[in-house]
Amino acid sequence: MFKQNITNQLKTFRGVFLLSVLAFSSPSLSVHAQELNLLHVQGNVYLVSGADVNISVQIGEESLVFVDTPAPEYIPEMMALIREISDRPARYVINTSLDQRRISGNDIIGTMGDEAGVGIFSFGPPREEEVVAAAGAAGGVTIIGHENMLNRFYLTEHDIPDLTLTTTYFTESKDFFANGESIVIYHVPNAHTDGDSIVYFRGSNVLVAGDIFTLGIYPIIDVNNGGSVRGYLDALN
């Protein structure tokens, strides 16, 4: 029975590159390196990994779309890698859960939504006027997460110092179009937490599973923030 269940799950994900083992494993399983690496997964989707960073980014002709953001100290190096292949501004950040390691760089990425933001961490040092403009350029970047992230941040006790979201969604899924492909955000309730999202890049055929799919460790189920075993299994299925 166990073997049959595994076979069925593998059939479900056939043809889908699942960014989870590398992109969103627990901190203890992150790739510990002295520098970051930019890996082309397939289609428009790339993986930034190394140190304590595991971030997915869609890089297209129009813009950059991030799934989660790293700690601020890693952003200059991450952006230097991205700027080697793209000079486009950021347009979207999708947070998969209310975990500090997934949201701590929201504010900085949120300043990269216009041409001033493009100048930061680009080819060579930015001009002084670019830095000044980008410092207040919060417009143009949509930072999105499930509304339960916002509810947990304001209505429960936690150690998250700050949360920057510009919009939330409350339905089973939300989709939008960027860089020539549809991006679908699915809410998976009461799994790792009650505010988890997984992100599917339809054209690239890449699924970013956040903390919903991990290998080599027990599932991370945050009961205090609405997670449950049953919900975790439902999310996997």
Side-chain angles (χ1 to χ4, degrees), residues 19-25 47-49 53-56 102 208 210:
L19 268 185
S20 174
V21 181
L22 287 177
F24 293 108
S25 59
L47 170 68
V48 181
S49 66
V53 176
N54 288 297
I55 299 299
S56 298
R102 303 197 180 282
V208 182

Side-chain angles (χ1 to χ4, degrees), residues 90-104:
R91 282 290 177 263
Y92 293 94
V93 172
I94 306 167
N95 290 142
T96 59
S97 69
L98 185 65
D99 284 350
Q100 182 64 22
R101 61 197 174 93
R102 303 197 180 282
I103 65 174
S104 58

Side-chain angles (χ1 to χ4, degrees), residues 113-128:
D114 60 8
E115 294 306 318
V118 168
I120 292 185
F121 312 125
S122 186
F123 304 94
R127 298 186 300 271
E128 182 178 356

Side-chain angles (χ1 to χ4, degrees), residues 23-235:
F24 293 108
S25 59
S26 72
S28 61
L29 291 184
S30 297
V31 180
H32 291 284
Q34 296 302 313
E35 59 183 21
L36 303 183
N37 299 287
L38 183 66
L39 169 69
H40 180 215
V41 180
Q42 62 184 31
N44 293 328
V45 181
Y46 292 74
L47 170 68
V48 181
S49 66
D52 291 322
V53 176
N54 288 297
I55 299 299
S56 298
V57 56
Q58 182 209 44
I59 301 176
E61 294 182 359
E62 302 169 357
S63 63
L64 306 176
V65 178
F66 292 88
V67 181
D68 294 325
T69 57
E73 60 265 29
Y74 295 117
I75 291 181
E77 185 178 354
M78 178 184 74
M79 292 307 302
L81 291 173
I82 293 173
R83 290 303 181 218
E84 290 180 0
I85 60 175
S86 174
D87 63 353
R88 296 297 81 203
R91 282 290 177 263
Y92 293 94
V93 172
I94 306 167
N95 290 142
T96 59
S97 69
L98 185 65
D99 284 350
Q100 182 64 22
R101 61 197 174 93
R102 303 197 180 282
I103 65 174
S104 58
N106 283 9
D107 283 339
I108 296 179
I109 299 298
T111 68
M112 300 180 189
D114 60 8
E115 294 306 318
V118 168
I120 292 185
F121 312 125
S122 186
F123 304 94
R127 298 186 300 271
E128 182 178 356
E129 61 268 24
E130 289 179 331
V131 176
V132 173
V141 180
T142 297
I143 305 176
I144 185 172
H146 191 268
E147 69 170 2
N148 283 349
M149 290 180 57
L150 208 60
N151 292 337
R152 289 286 176 184
F153 181 78
Y154 285 107
L155 302 178
T156 64
E157 294 185 2
H158 52 76
D159 57 359
I160 305 294
D162 188 36
L163 172 64
T164 299
L165 292 176
T166 63
T167 188
T168 61
Y169 76 102
F170 59 89
T171 52
E172 292 184 358
S173 65
K174 177 181 178 62
D175 62 272
F176 59 95
F177 197 79
N179 294 312
E181 69 178 316
S182 176
I183 302 173
V184 187
I185 310 172
Y186 296 99
H187 177 224
V188 281
N190 305 109
H192 162 59
T193 67
D194 60 7
D196 294 293
S197 297
I198 59 177
V199 184
Y200 182 42
F201 295 90
R202 291 179 62 101
S204 300
N205 205 25
V206 175
L207 182 70
V208 182
D211 285 310
I212 303 304
F213 189 85
T214 57
L215 290 178
I217 60 172
Y218 286 107
I220 305 169
I221 301 174
D222 188 348
V223 177
N224 292 331
N225 285 308
S228 70
V229 174
R230 180 71 264 171
Y232 198 97
L233 292 174
D234 289 342

